[in-house]
Amino acid sequence: MSRQSVAKAHQKIQELSWEPQYHEPVSQYGTDYTFRKAQKKDPLKQVLRSYFPMEEEKDHRVYGAQDGAIRGNMFRQVQERWLEWQKLFLSIIPLPEISAARAMPLLFRTVPNPELHNGQAIQMIDEVRHSTIQQNLKRLYMTNYIDPAGFNNSLRNFQSDYCGTIGRQFAEGFITGDAITAASIYLTIVAETAFTNTLFVAMPAEAAANGDYLLPTVFHSVQSDESRHISNGYATLLMALSDESNHQLLERDLRYAWWNNHRVVDAAIGTFIEYGTKDRRKDRESYAEMWRRWIYDDYYRSYLLPLEKYGLVIPHDLIEEAWNQIWNKGYVHEVAQFFATGWLANYWRIDPMTDEDFEWFEFKYPGWYDKYGKWWENYNRLSMPNGHHPIVAENVDYVYPHRCWTCMVPCLVREDMVMDEVDGQVRTYCSEPCHWTDATAFRPTYQGRETPNMGQLIGHREWETLYHGWNWADVVSDMGFVRDDGKTLVAQPHLNLDPKKMWTLDHLRRMGPVQSPNVLLNEMTPEQRQAFHADYIKQGPAGRPAPADA
Amino acid sequence: MTTSQERSVPKPVFTDAEAGAKVFPDSDRRLYNYFTPAKRKQSHYEDVTVEVQPDPRHYLSQGWLYGFSDGRGGYPLDWTVLKAWGSDRPEPERFPGSGGKGYDWPATGWHEFRDPNEEWELTFYRYNSNVVRQLNQNIDNARQSKAFEQWNRNWVRFVERNLGAWMHVDHGLGLYLYANAQRRAPTNMHNNAISVNSMHRIRAAQDLALYNLTLTEEIPDFDGSAHLEVWKSDPAWQGVREVAEQLTAIDDWCEAIFASNVVFEPLVGELFRSQLVQHAAPRNGDFVTPTVVGAAEHDFAERDLRYTRAMFELLTDDREFADHNKQILNQWLSTWTDRAITAARTLQPIWSQPDNKPPRFEDGLDAVKNRFAALVTELHLDVPKELAQ
């Protein structure tokens, strides 16, 4: 920056905006919120003359570290268990990043404060930075890590896979529907302010413990931009709060955004941190401990609670319930178990848990072994092809779950499952808040109020529907998750790269057909459905069938 | 005796997880394989850009998951009336047992676009950092060598009023045309190129604003706020202002980029920057302003025009919709050329403001018209009759 101070320069660039006199800018996105023009200050106070060199310097550090990692043979010390999960994470995350860029113009016409638009434009290009720098990191992994499969067809995989679909909400929720719901509440107030802490700080720390110091290098660089975006959201939130008529919508959107972020991000990042690590030191933080620190204390207590005095209705019940899910209901463990159950429909390898892992889980989550230990022993036993089916088709005391129509993570905490007929279709939901999101929140009226700009949940939200009646080998071929010999699967339920130990399409060919739980549910009579529901909510933990005498 | 407690740190483990450590299926498949590169080898730019924004026509088996209130999600193709081949094919139908396959890559001609500047974050920050560093150095050197004292009095007035007014054009278009349009295009390659274009404009606006601030500090009677009144009510600027506002009011994203980069910039932006400011400044003792304005000119007239040309060439050469596109583009040419020429002519009085006159307005206008006509012809479009105004 030249001798002009940033504050003075920032003050000067406020002269750039002007009130249209002849034609109004096009208005393409609607909101049911109302904003009065208010002189809210741009919290970023960013001027491009200093911003560009700052980002360039951050880039120098990132790319310098990448060169160093390659020269220093970092991949000789990287845990394969960890890098395999990055095939999922790094296929997902560039889309949310670029979607955040695309989301910014949703706010231009709906938030009438030109000073904030400056910060939003800088956030836009920040997000282009994040998306491409993450694609580049994945490219580096593909080039230098022992097993490129899964990285090399990353974006096709992500868009065909049920885990990718879960993650895709974290992007699509930013760019459609009511402009404020999407680009402000869901994106900046909840996703960026609360959950990037676990995504971009807690998880990279775990990467470093697994020999990968490039993930922290890239993601801490990203997070240093995110902290500015949080200020963008805060300024918009304060403007929204100043109009009493917005409070009802803010309450709705915080409930939806909080719960959806919890279901999606905790499912994925919790699994990576707890089941993707080889670091089993007893004094390293578990995901639950990280969550308590980063989300409960830093976000909920330090950021959200002080906003109560401005009239923000905070979903205390859902925040406590999210903690309850993680700590008491085993949410992360249930998800990891499901991902491992469906390993064959994925594009990464999932390492079995060992005695050392069991000991750590039992220490961190007392009672873990009784719930999940036996199943993971079965996973280990069935990991190499030896005349049996993949675990999903073997009898291991696990009932294949139904999908949640809203968050698309299966209904794994069985007691919480809700069944309802919505839009002429019987749907299952993992929890009451997800049921409410579909049946009540994403509707053109809310509590008697017209909400014509609210978005819709669309798409083919149950993955199994597409493959109902298909042979598993055809499913995996259709998705393209096959290696270059035309038969070996990209996914494996172990880390052994000996071709003789790897599963192929031939092994899957012997399995029974895929059955869509939702198609089957809709074929049932009402009585059968009630019986199904009564049984389902008695199942678990760890997917166990309902007790016979219950 | 003191004892030190061993710190708890993760232990390095030799895993031998390097590329090439073992041979197995896919062990040497180290290229992204889900798209066809534009040239023989896939470029770094393509690797970090292509297919990040999905399309249900090829791989998005479950479709878009969140929609607007009308139930449409993602990036609807009809957000522009232009079409690329394959645009009229319906999205693959999905139903129980349908499978997930879509059309083969690229499914539509939209996915064939590549930014010839190959911009991604690394190139973008390097380039723009270099620009702002060079500008800072130029301005600092000028300040130290008392270069602003060489300016004649009317040139000071010219810069405070007219160069000041132009910053509003860059800012308004940067935010409300380009940043807005990067939500609208159907591929990541389009939207990233448009984002970069947006930041060029916003940077150029800020460059002018901060230059204005320096001049306010360096030249005793320089009125740093004169541009506000000029932009708001000087009759010479109202034509430019009206077109700039009209550009931000365009709904169709292709029309917005076309009208701005193919018509407005060549006919009005280049006329003002290259044919007026750059030529007039040295004659009036000013060697600094052309370096500031020249940086923007290079961005808009070279870099941004380069991607724009590639984007529209694909559409006018499209194997299915070339005629459809050319007909619409010719209409847009006609409409926006008329507006741009009117704005340019309204600006004519400022040519007489400097003491030492630049080349004649008509000569400057002829020069930009010639460049514009060549550009239009390269795009296989008709030179509009409105150019003759």
Side-chain angles (χ1 to χ4, degrees), chain A residues 116-162:
Chain A
L116 294 188
H117 301 169
N118 182 52
Q120 287 152 1
I122 292 178
Q123 178 166 353
M124 171 192 77
I125 204 68
D126 275 349
E127 307 289 8
V128 173
R129 173 174 191 257
H130 302 171
S131 174
T132 51
I133 208 171
Q134 291 161 7
Q135 274 289 109
N136 184 64
L137 176 66
K138 182 167 57 182
R139 185 178 186 268
L140 184 146
Y141 287 157
M142 172 177 69
T143 311
N144 293 284
Y145 168 64
I146 189 166
D147 183 12
F151 286 129
N152 54 16
N153 48 358
S154 167
L155 290 181
R156 177 183 174 183
N157 299 344
F158 159 57
Q159 293 159 13
S160 313
D161 175 74
Y162 70 81

Side-chain angles (χ1 to χ4, degrees), chain A residues 259 263 325 404 416-418 429-436:
Chain A
W259 193 252
R263 294 319 262 181
Q325 293 275 327
C404 174
D416 292 345
M417 192 270 266
V418 175
Y429 301 91
C430 68
S431 55
E432 183 48 41
C434 271
H435 171 243
W436 167 88

